[in-house]
Amino acid sequence: MGCESLKLERLKLGLGERSYSIWIGGGILSDLSQALEEVKFPRKVAVVANPRVQALYGGALADALCACDREYHYITIADGEHYKNWSTLQTIYDALIALDFDRHCGLIALGGGVTGDISGFAAATFLRGIPYIQVPTTLLAQVDSSVGGKTAINHPRGKNLIGAFYQPRHVHIDVHTLQSLDAREFAAGMAEVIKYGVIRDRSFFDWLHNHRKDLRKRKDQALVEAVKRACQIKANIVEIDEKESALRAILNFGHTFGHAVESLSEYRVYRHGEAVAIGMVVAARISCQLGLCSADDIDTIRDLLRAFDLPVDPPDYPLDAWLDAMKHDKKVQRGVLRLVLNKGVGDCLVREIADPAPLFADALKELK
Ligand code: NAD
């Protein structure tokens, strides 16, 4: 794992007056002070983090906040998807009220997607909206959840059922934080990175293939480039379709089947990104059946996922169970399943599938 010195990369997500910058680099937590000044972030700040991430990076963040003369307070939340719920949200509101927070105060989310989603939703709703910044520390959060303004908590009946679109003021990505991530979390994030290449950018996909060894070793230079290109693709999509009325749905490539994998295995076996990896292979297989890609394209996608030790084989459940699990997918509209399918590698489309049973039956048989 390398820590060579790197230049700070700056992207912009353009959404009129809700535009914001995304900074990416290695060892840039201290640069947060500069970003806070540039975006005129409030002087009184609450940092939301779980105990693990706070112990790892809370000190560096506190130094950055001191350096730009901010009054800051930590709000500690429990670690885990299980806690992305109403009760944790209430803990955040209670702390903000106890700290006398008003509209001229701001939130910073320091952590993975769970912390980012719940803090973003707290920021969206507290006093009808206060500014917030994302400091994502997992690969998934760096390339996906911190960018684009989707915030949410879970409901006992389903994930992310309560939420809001609410854009951050800035996203601050330090790839050095990825060094402490465990191997499975890192690989799960890589599944989402690979997804961007498959749906939107063949040259990025090929770059990932050519740099897979450096990425596996978590070399700074490769990480910054991969995160930057992934964020750029996501930012371009969000700029066109902020609220997922059309194009943004392509980001769900691999997710229809992936969500079914997660729900059938009761969220116990696979990380989200691992389930998405399997889902991408199934989607590619269906794309092939519909003449949108070749068998070689499936192998190309599968090989790159395998290079990061991601699972690619669908677990063995009866077809009816798969179809039932997919009925609850959010891309089902008026009872018709809408699938994101890859056109070769580097492009995709969304297609309504009136009768998914034979397609999935064939795909699962072929992938056995
Ligand atoms: P997570 O936030 O639970 O983080 C995974 C684990 O890694 C946690 O135990 C966390 O404490 C730990 N961790 C975080 N940073 C670390 C670091 N640098 N070193 C060591 N350990 C670290 O999970 P996640 O995969 O980051 O995010 C998943 C969540 O993101 C889900 O709730 C999902 O719904 C959401 N999500 C949201 C969007 C969106 O657009 N808002 C997109 C994709 C996923």
Side-chain angles (χ1 to χ4, degrees):
M1 300 188 193
C3 284
E4 65 270 30
S5 81
L6 292 163
K7 100 173 199 297
L8 174 66
E9 302 281 353
R10 294 171 190 236
L11 305 179
K12 186 172 170 211
L13 196 151
L15 284 172
E17 61 183 16
R18 283 170 294 107
S19 299
Y20 51 96
S21 52
I22 304 167
W23 290 11
I24 304 148
I28 64 159
L29 283 181
S30 58
D31 296 294
L32 186 66
S33 40
Q34 191 191 332
L36 290 179
E37 297 299 0
E38 282 188 21
V39 302
K40 299 190 173 54
F41 205 66
R43 306 222 69 84
K44 185 168 169 180
V45 172
V47 182
V48 181
N50 70 37
R52 181 193 228 176
V53 175
Q54 189 173 337
L56 285 163
Y57 304 110
L61 203 77
D63 290 346
L65 292 169
C66 283
C68 58
D69 210 17
R70 292 307 193 270
E71 175 190 334
Y72 67 90
H73 306 269
Y74 269 95
I75 300 177
T76 308
I77 59 170
D79 190 351
E81 180 72 37
H82 185 62
Y83 297 101
K84 197 174 112 178
N85 59 17
W86 194 263
S87 149
T88 307
L89 186 67
Q90 181 76 40
T91 307
I92 299 174
Y93 293 146
D94 289 349
L96 294 176
I97 290 166
L99 290 164
D100 285 329
F101 260 50
D102 60 24
R103 283 223 186 88
H104 306 288
C105 301
L107 272 191
I108 296 181
L110 172 68
V114 167
T115 303
D117 275 14
I118 197 164
S119 308
F121 188 57
T125 47
F126 187 71
L127 301 177
R128 300 193 180 85
I130 59 171
Y132 79 111
I133 282 178
Q134 293 274 13
V135 184
T137 61
T138 63
L139 183 55
L140 179 132
Q142 295 187 349
V143 298
D144 195 355
S145 59
S146 67
V147 173
K150 274 191 183 178
T151 73
I153 57 169
N154 300 328
H155 183 273
R157 296 288 300 276
K159 276 188 70 173
N160 299 326
L161 289 187
I162 300 154
F165 285 99
Y166 191 62
Q167 301 294 341
R169 289 288 169 89
H170 171 70
V171 180
H172 203 81
I173 303 179
D174 186 342
V175 299
H176 280 183
T177 61
L178 301 179
Q179 302 295 348
S180 54
L181 214 55
D182 81 37
R184 275 184 76 186
E185 291 299 350
F186 181 78
M190 275 311 302
E192 299 283 358
V193 176
I194 292 167
K195 177 193 79 180
Y196 290 112
V198 177
I199 61 171
R200 210 65 176 160
D201 188 343
R202 175 74 202 222
S203 72
F204 181 42
F205 184 94
D206 292 339
W207 183 92
L208 291 169
H209 175 81
N210 294 334
H211 292 81
R212 61 195 184 285
K213 291 194 180 120
D214 283 353
L215 287 165
R216 276 185 64 109
K217 288 184 195 147
R218 302 188 205 179
K219 292 221 172 138
D220 278 352
Q221 195 79 54
L223 289 175
V224 168
E225 183 67 14
V227 172
K228 182 183 81 176
R229 290 179 77 168
C231 285
Q232 185 68 68
I233 292 171
K234 177 143 187 194
N236 291 346
I237 292 170
V238 171
E239 283 170 352
I240 295 167
D241 179 22
E242 182 186 7
K243 298 201 171 159
E244 201 168 320
S245 40
L247 180 71
R248 192 166 175 169
I250 67 172
L251 295 171
N252 293 316
F253 179 67
H255 285 59
T256 301
F257 201 82
H259 285 146
V261 170
E262 283 182 287
S263 106
L264 287 174
S265 56
E266 295 175 345
Y267 297 90
R268 292 206 185 109
V269 184
Y270 299 97
R271 302 277 203 283
H272 174 69
E274 294 172 336
V276 169
I278 297 170
M280 287 196 279
V281 175
V282 174
R285 182 69 236 168
I286 290 176
S287 305
C288 181
Q289 286 159 225
L290 294 172
L292 296 168
C293 77
S294 68
D296 282 351
D297 291 331
I298 307 175
D299 289 339
T300 304
I301 295 168
R302 193 166 28 202
D303 289 350
L304 188 55
L305 294 168
R306 277 201 185 116
F308 290 95
D309 302 324
L310 284 159
V312 291
D313 299 321
D316 207 7
Y317 293 108
L319 180 64
D320 285 353
W322 286 117
L323 294 172
D324 194 50
M326 281 184 288
K327 261 194 214 144
H328 304 292
D329 191 88
K330 65 180 170 187
K331 288 173 298 310
V332 173
Q333 281 182 4
R334 287 164 273 105
V336 180
L337 187 64
R338 299 170 79 237
L339 280 184
V340 187
L341 300 166
N342 55 302
K343 290 203 296 187
V345 176
D347 196 7
C348 68
L349 51 74
V350 180
R351 188 171 280 185
E352 291 202 345
I353 307 286
D355 183 14
L359 273 177
F360 278 103
D362 273 6
L364 292 168
K365 199 170 101 201
E366 287 295 328
L367 293 171
K368 264 214 170 124

